[in-house]
Amino acid sequence: MTIWYGGDYNPEQWPRAIWDDDMRLMNRAGISLATVGVFSWARLEPRPGEYDFGWLDELLDLLHANGVRVDLATATASPPPWLAREHPETLPVTEDGVRLSVGSRQQYCPSSPVYRDRARELVRRVVDRYADHPAIELWHVNNEYGCHVSHCYCDVSAEAFRGWLRAKYGQIDELNRVWGTAFWSQRYDSFDEVSPPRAAPTFRNPTQLLDFDRFSNDELLACYRAEVEVIRARSPIPITTNFMGFFKAVDYWAWAREVDIVSDDTYPDPADPESPAYAAMVRDLMRSLGGGAPWLLMEQAPSAVNWRRRNAVKSPGQMRAWSYQSVARGADGILFFQWRQSVAGSEKFHSGLVPHSGTDTRLWREVEQLGQELAALSARTGDAAITGTRVPSTVAITLDWDSWWAIEQPASPADVSYVRTLFAWHRALTSLGLAVDFVRSDADLSGYRLVVAPAHFAASDAQVANLASFAETGTLVVGFGTAITDENLHVRLGGYLGEPLRSALGVWIEEFAPPAAPDLQNLGIGTPPPLALAGEAFGGAATGTVWAEFLRVEDAEILATFTEGALGGWPVVTRRATGAGAGWYVATLPEPDALRRLAERVALEAGIDLPAPAATGEQVETVRRGGSLFVINHGEEDAELVVEGTDALTGAPAAGMRLAPQGVAIIYPTSGTSG
Ligand code: GAL
């Protein structure tokens, strides 16, 4: 099986003569998959109802003749200007009432029936024409749903939102109850009075905000489904749409069920030393969304992007190292944005596989080298095979979009970043060499030994019960900010943490006490001081950040306490062990070293074997996929391998091998077979 190699290919930006050169270079680089037509609507339908497919016919034939498979886009991500001229109401409106204009991209209201109709008609034409074309490997629906416009506040959206609310609540009194409109005179007398949460004098109704997040996700998903329906009626070829890592506006659990293969666009910042660790988490999410199945890295930058204020290049070897990180964590394809760097338009300074300066460049040489290596790896069989294999894991972190939307709302005890909180836990666990999945809190957790549920703020009774019952047989760690409210954002009274979680953990929360900085003018400036902690859970002293609370213990051991200030002496880490399981509670976000020590302690008590390091060096990432151990050196010093086996990339024995910065080894047992 092939590890796909390729990227977005936008030849409509270039004269025909360049296409032949593209084919020659694609073959040199071992390109096997090209994503075509993502932004081609204006070219395919230059005037309403007038289609021009001639150029795409020729292009697909050319790619096919050159052995390049095609991920064909439905081209609906960016409507042509004529749609806005004919139907200005298809343009999206921001919460401040600003109608967005043409001249950029993705300027459509997701609820617009006109947009959906025109998009569906285009898809019908594309699919009718190309369903039987031998080059097509995959359908690429739209592009990065919600990337620029995820919530639209226009009148069409408002009407759709009312319909959504009617379907959900039936009666306006039920909406009033769930939204808590007795507060601030918000009571509605009919659904006609309800609007999207547009700009308002001060804090908007929290449940209205949350419902609008849910509605907005549903509307985008409806756009996706409308296209998928057209494709499925005509073609059995698999379908994807590209995700964007931890993207707040779109609940990928709901989407993942509806794609045939998960694909992702990730642009880690080369200037940020945390990027490899963060990207590792994103890749683990992609694998988890597909239930562990292989996924595709649909887009990454060959080197610099153009959309940060300052755009760092990837250092020599970094593109390769980060590509292998994806393969290690379950990807069966490495694709880029984009093939040939644009000559005009707002992405002309975004790197491409074929740079402005041509092929006598370090970047192109790296592109060719990686293509050749991936082709060789694809051919391996037996213990050394990579494609199609899985990343086994006994550890999971819960992730739920409702809680993400809820915990980051204003008017909360402290500004908590949901993803940063998950990242802290993910990093602590992966730094121990553990493979970590993400799961929904209402999923079947029985395949895991250890489940961490951090900041699971808006927990339904079913989710609370699911977590609690896991603690009877596995090790559950609940982090602060969990089960503060139900799924309607109604606070759980009588001590936060609902039953039966409260009994499973043996604790309840009396009062929140997040660390705060002096803030005379409510400007949100200043960094809160760290909280002093100590106890055996950390093997001594530690510090906490972000959150704290007065935690009451009913039936648990106290393994660490706050040591200073108003919280001094109050518990911060507790454990309640039952027969086979245990329930831990952590009332702050320990700083990285302390969290790592805590995670190690928890993992060991959960009976999880911590793998011995595969190499020397601080920033060495190791991941086991299938029969192979991937070792990637993200540090600035050489690392030395201390495991036995053979490196699939060089054929050399692993033990004693030196890995330079950005170096990669893929080690399989020497006794294994390789093809
Ligand atoms: C993605 C998008 C691509 C391109 C890329 C640049 O968000 O799908 O079309 O714009 O970013 O980094």
Side-chain angles (χ1 to χ4, degrees):
M1 245 162 59
T2 319
I3 301 179
W4 298 107
Y5 191 51
D8 279 40
Y9 179 37
N10 299 307
E12 64 268 47
Q13 296 174 14
W14 295 91
R16 173 66 183 81
I18 295 282
W19 299 9
D20 296 319
D21 199 42
D22 286 337
M23 296 306 117
R24 186 178 60 80
L25 293 177
M26 283 188 187
N27 278 321
R28 255 176 67 184
I31 298 296
S32 51
L33 188 63
T35 304
V36 171
V38 174
F39 294 106
S40 300
W41 191 345
R43 180 77 190 265
L44 291 172
E45 191 181 359
R47 281 160 295 279
E50 235 179 77
Y51 295 90
D52 170 13
F53 286 109
W55 66 277
L56 190 52
D57 294 350
E58 188 180 356
L59 182 72
L60 295 186
D61 291 348
L62 192 65
L63 285 162
H64 182 59
N66 283 277
V68 179
R69 310 286 301 151
V70 172
D71 167 34
L72 186 59
T74 56
T76 54
S78 226
W82 56 251
L83 185 67
R85 200 190 57 222
E86 279 199 343
H87 293 283
E89 78 284 4
T90 60
L91 291 170
V93 172
T94 66
E95 61 189 313
D96 298 321
V98 176
R99 198 173 277 282
L100 302 178
S101 298
V102 296
S104 169
R105 68 172 176 187
Q106 225 200 49
Q107 68 289 347
Y108 63 87
C109 159
S111 301
S112 162
V114 176
Y115 164 75
R116 287 192 196 175
D117 282 353
R118 303 309 298 234
R120 229 186 345 244
E121 182 55 22
L122 177 66
V123 179
R124 199 179 61 73
R125 304 244 172 188
V126 169
V127 175
D128 272 354
R129 195 167 187 101
Y130 299 115
D132 302 319
H133 195 287
I136 313 297
E137 182 70 31
L138 188 63
W139 295 109
H140 183 105
V141 173
N142 198 281
N143 195 62
E144 294 190 340
Y145 274 103
C147 174
H148 304 296
V149 177
S150 57
H151 295 61
C152 176
Y153 298 78
C154 74
D155 290 341
V156 174
S157 300
E159 202 40 51
F161 185 42
R162 280 176 212 118
W164 187 92
L165 293 169
R166 275 193 191 94
K168 177 168 182 183
Y169 295 114
Q171 305 291 326
I172 193 68
D173 283 348
E174 180 60 4
L175 178 145
N176 280 312
R177 185 189 69 77
V178 171
W179 284 17
T181 58
F183 177 79
W184 277 358
S185 182
Q186 291 173 352
R187 183 186 166 278
Y188 294 101
D189 206 44
S190 91
F191 283 100
D192 297 332
E193 293 172 0
V194 184
S195 291
R198 293 172 170 145
T202 183
F203 301 117
R204 288 163 285 182
N205 181 297
T207 317
Q208 180 186 11
L209 288 171
L210 181 61
D211 267 348
F212 195 61
D213 286 331
R214 292 166 172 155
F215 158 81
S216 300
N217 174 66
D218 286 356
E219 289 297 272
L220 288 169
L221 190 52
C223 291
Y224 170 77
R225 282 187 187 139
E227 296 197 19
V228 166
E229 202 180 85
V230 176
I231 301 172
R232 294 240 194 262
R234 176 75 179 77
S235 164
I237 291 171
I239 300 174
T240 193
T241 185
N242 40 350
F243 296 165
M244 291 171 280
F246 284 80
F247 183 68
K248 186 174 176 182
V250 177
D251 176 353
Y252 287 140
W253 290 124
W255 290 64
R257 290 193 289 255
E258 306 198 24
V259 299
D260 295 322
I261 180 165
V262 167
S263 64
D264 186 49
D265 300 351
T266 314
Y267 292 90
D269 182 1
D272 185 347
E274 291 196 312
S275 282
Y278 184 78
M281 174 168 86
V282 172
R283 318 222 195 267
D284 286 353
L285 172 63
M286 292 305 137
R287 185 186 65 247
S288 305
L289 287 171
W295 55 280
L296 284 181
L297 178 62
M298 183 61 81
E299 290 182 22
Q300 64 170 341
S303 185
V305 298
N306 66 304
W307 39 260
R308 295 194 171 96
R309 280 195 56 213
R310 298 217 160 84
N311 299 290
V313 294
K314 287 185 176 166
S315 59
Q318 199 162 42
M319 180 268 273
R320 174 175 177 266
W322 290 8
S323 298
Y324 280 119
Q325 181 190 55
S326 285
V327 177
R329 294 179 182 275
D332 270 3
I334 299 299
L335 288 85
F336 296 81
F337 181 86
Q338 62 174 330
W339 166 249
R340 191 179 278 275
Q341 188 171 16
S342 294
V343 73
S346 54
E347 289 184 329
K348 59 185 174 299
F349 296 120
H350 190 293
S351 56
L353 293 172
V354 184
H356 288 153
S357 321
T359 51
D360 181 14
T361 50
R362 66 147 193 137
L363 200 154
W364 174 258
R365 279 186 279 278
E366 291 194 38
V367 169
E368 272 194 342
Q369 186 208 346
L370 182 58
Q372 284 157 13
E373 273 185 2
L374 291 175
L377 275 180
S378 303
R380 292 186 169 273
T381 57
D383 286 352
I386 291 165
T387 48
T389 62
R390 297 200 164 219
V391 179
S393 169
T394 56
V395 181
I397 298 174
T398 63
L399 161 66
D400 285 278
W401 262 262
D402 267 6
S403 283
W404 187 353
W405 293 328
I407 203 170
E408 294 186 354
Q409 287 193 354
S412 297
D415 57 338
V416 173
S417 160
Y418 183 67
V419 170
R420 279 230 147 250
T421 307
L422 300 192
F423 181 34
W425 277 102
H426 183 271
R427 202 173 181 176
L429 291 161
T430 52
S431 73
L432 301 171
L434 296 172
V436 179
D437 287 347
F438 286 93
V439 284
R440 304 169 71 119
S441 57
D442 53 6
D444 173 8
L445 304 173
S446 58
Y448 297 102
R449 297 185 92 121
L450 169 60
V451 171
V452 182
H456 183 30
F457 185 88
S460 67
D461 287 350
Q463 292 170 340
V464 168
N466 195 43
L467 292 174
S469 78
F470 175 73
E472 288 163 21
T473 51
T475 297
L476 173 72
V477 180
V478 172
F480 73 85
T482 291
I484 307 302
T485 73
D486 64 15
E487 71 278 23
N488 295 325
L489 304 187
H490 291 207
V491 168
R492 293 182 176 279
L493 298 177
Y496 312 107
L497 273 182
E499 284 295 9
L501 203 47
R502 177 173 162 164
S503 298
L505 303 174
V507 299
W508 56 279
I509 300 149
E510 182 177 320
E511 188 182 353
F512 307 128
D519 197 3
L520 190 61
Q521 299 282 335
N522 196 18
L523 295 174
I525 46 178
T527 309
L531 299 152
L533 324 167
E536 59 169 294
F538 302 115
T543 52
T545 57
V546 181
W547 193 272
E549 51 205 23
F550 291 94
L551 183 67
R552 297 285 295 274
V553 175
E554 275 172 345
D555 175 23
E557 295 162 77
I558 297 171
L559 298 184
T561 54
F562 295 100
T563 56
E564 284 173 7
L567 285 159
W570 285 75
V572 64
V573 179
T574 61
R575 178 189 57 193
R576 179 175 176 275
T578 55
W584 295 64
Y585 187 77
V586 185
T588 187
L589 187 65
E591 42 81 20
D593 267 357
L595 190 56
R596 185 190 151 108
R597 294 198 298 274
L598 173 62
E600 182 168 357
R601 168 91 193 255
V602 173
L604 289 173
E605 286 196 21
I608 294 168
D609 291 331
L610 298 181
T616 61
E618 277 298 294
Q619 293 185 58
V620 176
E621 177 178 358
T622 50
V623 185
R624 183 165 293 285
R625 179 179 180 191
S628 300
L629 186 70
F630 286 70
V631 187
I632 306 170
N633 183 6
H634 298 290
E636 286 175 1
E637 310 284 330
D638 280 12
E640 190 182 320
L641 294 186
V642 293
V643 282
E644 300 294 329
T646 305
D647 174 26
L649 294 169
T650 57
M657 211 177 123
R658 294 196 78 75
L659 277 189
Q662 308 299 342
V664 180
I666 306 175
I667 300 153
Y668 63 94
T670 301
S671 57
T673 51
S674 87

